[in-house]
Amino acid sequence: MADSKDYYELLGVSKTATADEIKRAFRKLAKQYHPDAQHTEADKKKAEEKFKEINEAYSVLSDENKRAQYDRFGSNFEQAGFGGGYGNYGGFDFSGFGNGMGVDIDLDDILGSVFGGGFSGFGASKKQGPMKGADLRYNLNITFEEAAFGTKKDINISRQEKCDSCNGSGAKAGSKVVTCDKCGGRGKVQITQNTIMGTFSSVKTCDKCGGEGKIVETPCEKCTGKGTVRRTRKLSVSIPAGIDNGQAISLAGEGDVGRKGGATGDLFIVVNVAPHKIFTRRGFDLIASFKIPYSKMVLGGTIKIPTLEGEMEFAIPEGTNSGTTFKIKDRGIQNIHGRGKGNLEFTVDVDIPKKLNDKQREILTEFASTLGEEVSPKKKGFFR
């Protein structure tokens, strides 16, 4: 690397960057500029040069002593005897890789030796062990009352199940399942590329067997070799009292069948609760608003209010103001965990009559006069 180049600038970090920040920056750039990640020969050539530079920078800045000397001597760093050392390649030795030895190497292994972890996307192979089946989701519409009191519903679920004709093997009766001749049963193949650093091999999923490692000679006619078929099943689901809109019920083992002996997926039933014409919900409490006659707000009296269990009487105290909120305990929604019920909270507003007869108007006018209030009498029409 030329003296004019800045190691910190190459990695995109500040001169006060911590060791972890330098490591993360290098890891990101190494993944971006690795030749195996490029698509064209021109891009690979550019990436090789960039890859060489960032590794040289990292080999210096990741070493506490080398970094201190670099910060001290700057452009004279190499003269001080602490050069980046491209041949050492940031801590993993590539000497001999460019001499036609044909060494198979995977970026996941290279970077893993530095960071102690894999780089997904490079060298990742498909798992060949048991795999759990996919989880399924079902949206269930229920009424407000069904959510409050609980209910039972029958639903139809479409899911992948084991083919009963081939017992999940995917092979026709009497047919054999043979080892894939392309990958030798490993489920992955290596693609070798020659680069400036040597010969590298990227591990890819075998396209012939799809990563399975085996091929069915004569596929099952019913499942076309997949080992699974789609079926619709009718399930009875219990909806607990108190469930709220958007909550889900989990049914273990009711999803898609697993592969290679893996566990069956789960079914998640998400409930959509229809709104109520009177009540809204706040947790397990019911919220409502009622209009009551002016006379009962002034003089007090008993009114009938609706609840989810039916109507009930409630005593309005004398002199109640419009906008007053009352609470009735245990008239709300059942707690889904079984610990009691919520409350019913309602606000009262005055119900002002739109029309009054002559007697009602006369009485109300006299009442207003006793309070010293002036009111506008109803104007009579010309013909009246």
Side-chain angles (χ1 to χ4, degrees), residues 166 170-173 175 216-226:
C166 64
K172 185 177 180 180
S175 176
V216 176
E217 285 187 334
T218 307
C220 170
E221 296 177 355
K222 188 172 183 178
C223 65
T224 65
K226 294 184 297 182

Side-chain angles (χ1 to χ4, degrees), residues 177-195:
V177 179
V178 297
T179 300
C180 176
D181 56 357
K182 185 171 183 178
C183 65
R186 292 182 300 168
K188 56 185 180 180
V189 293
Q190 292 180 326
I191 301 176
T192 303
Q193 291 179 320
N194 294 319
T195 70

Side-chain angles (χ1 to χ4, degrees), residues 93-384:
D93 189 6
F94 282 90
S95 59
F97 283 7
N99 58 7
M101 293 174 63
V103 178
D104 288 337
I105 195 160
D106 194 299
L107 181 60
D108 213 29
D109 298 330
I110 297 173
L111 299 179
S113 67
V114 178
F115 303 110
F119 259 56
S120 60
F122 295 97
S125 59
K126 188 175 180 179
K127 292 183 178 179
Q128 298 189 50
M131 289 176 283
K132 182 183 177 183
D135 294 332
L136 302 179
R137 169 176 174 152
Y138 184 91
N139 295 320
L140 178 63
N141 299 322
I142 60 175
T143 66
F144 195 92
E145 288 80 2
E146 288 174 333
F149 298 112
T151 185
K152 282 191 175 183
K153 292 286 186 178
D154 289 334
I155 61 174
N156 292 317
I157 295 294
S158 177
R159 65 189 182 190
Q160 292 288 346
E161 296 185 358
K162 182 189 292 186
C163 176
D164 52 11
S165 179
C166 64
N167 197 31
S169 69
K172 185 177 180 180
S175 176
K176 295 180 180 179
V177 179
V178 297
T179 300
C180 176
D181 56 357
K182 185 171 183 178
C183 65
R186 292 182 300 168
K188 56 185 180 180
V189 293
Q190 292 180 326
I191 301 176
T192 303
Q193 291 179 320
N194 294 319
T195 70
I196 191 173
M197 284 87 69
T199 303
F200 293 85
S201 293
S202 299
V203 182
K204 307 291 184 183
T205 299
C206 178
D207 57 358
K208 187 170 184 179
C209 64
E212 298 293 336
K214 296 183 180 299
I215 298 175
V216 176
E217 285 187 334
T218 307
C220 170
E221 296 177 355
K222 188 172 183 178
C223 65
T224 65
K226 294 184 297 182
T228 62
V229 292
R230 182 165 293 278
R231 290 194 179 96
T232 299
R233 295 291 185 183
K234 185 176 182 179
L235 300 176
S236 182
V237 182
S238 294
I239 308 298
I243 197 167
D244 204 352
N245 183 58
Q247 289 185 327
I249 302 167
S250 173
L251 298 182
E254 295 292 352
D256 281 349
V257 67
R259 299 181 60 190
K260 299 180 181 178
T264 304
D266 302 327
L267 171 64
F268 295 90
I269 301 172
V270 181
V271 298
N272 301 314
V273 182
H276 197 274
K277 61 181 180 181
I278 298 175
F279 302 109
T280 57
R281 180 171 173 172
R282 186 180 62 201
F284 297 108
D285 294 333
L286 290 176
I287 310 299
S289 179
F290 304 128
K291 289 188 174 183
I292 62 175
Y294 173 74
S295 58
K296 289 196 175 181
M297 296 187 71
V298 175
L299 302 175
T302 300
I303 63 171
K304 288 185 177 181
I305 60 172
T307 71
L308 290 179
E309 291 88 0
E311 286 188 335
M312 67 171 290
E313 292 186 345
F314 186 83
I316 299 295
E318 181 179 335
T320 296
N321 291 321
S322 183
T324 301
T325 299
F326 297 97
K327 180 188 293 184
I328 305 176
K329 290 186 176 182
D330 300 327
R331 285 289 184 166
I333 293 177
Q334 172 69 46
N335 188 302
I336 194 171
H337 303 295
R339 296 189 296 269
K341 298 178 67 175
N343 304 319
L344 169 59
E345 295 185 15
F346 64 94
T347 302
V348 294
D349 293 309
V350 61
D351 185 12
I352 300 177
K354 302 298 182 184
K355 294 182 179 181
L356 297 174
N357 58 37
D358 290 341
K359 184 172 181 61
Q360 291 170 335
R361 182 175 295 278
E362 181 182 350
I363 294 173
L364 195 56
T365 302
E366 289 179 2
F367 173 72
S369 65
T370 61
L371 299 176
E373 298 176 353
E374 292 185 4
V375 294
S376 299
K378 185 177 180 180
K379 294 181 181 181
K380 295 183 179 180
F382 174 78
F383 293 102
R384 187 173 179 182

Side-chain angles (χ1 to χ4, degrees), residues 67-87:
R67 181 179 179 182
Q69 293 295 331
Y70 173 72
D71 290 341
R72 180 180 178 185
F73 292 102
S75 61
N76 296 320
F77 177 68
E78 291 184 4
Q79 297 175 17
F82 296 95
Y86 169 62

